[in-house]
Amino acid sequence: MCQHQPPCPSADSNDREAARLTAHHPEQGWSLLCNGVLLFEDTGELLPDGQIIAPHRPLKSGQVMKAA
């Protein structure tokens, strides 16, 4: 899918968010990366194979996660 040199990270790599933007719609809250990943403003992702990656925003400094 990616024609860049060097190629962007693939959709199944850990650094997939480093791929270049091909479409950016901040008013709708999403961007399409050249590896086919849909990246949402809440940091969630939809991979080309349909897999959903839950939002993974970093915690603010001093914030602690509560156990579910």
Side-chain angles (χ1 to χ4, degrees), residues 4-5 8 10-11 16 21 28 36 41-42 49-50 54-55 57 61:
H4 299 113
Q5 289 302 323
C8 292
S10 66
R16 65 181 152 263
L21 291 173
Q28 296 176 359
E41 93 179 353
D42 70 353
D49 65 1
R57 287 186 177 165
S61 180

Side-chain angles (χ1 to χ4, degrees), residues 1-63:
M1 189 177 265
C2 177
Q3 302 298 317
H4 299 113
Q5 289 302 323
C8 292
S10 66
D12 59 353
S13 68
N14 288 335
D15 60 347
R16 65 181 152 263
E17 295 172 12
R20 294 188 190 184
L21 291 173
T22 58
H24 183 59
H25 294 277
E27 73 283 359
Q28 296 176 359
W30 63 271
S31 298
L32 177 64
L33 304 180
C34 74
N35 57 8
V37 173
L38 271 173
L39 182 61
F40 297 97
E41 93 179 353
D42 70 353
T43 70
E45 301 172 22
L46 179 61
L47 303 185
D49 65 1
Q51 181 181 356
I52 297 169
I53 307 296
H56 48 277
R57 287 186 177 165
L59 294 175
K60 293 179 184 175
S61 180
Q63 189 176 7

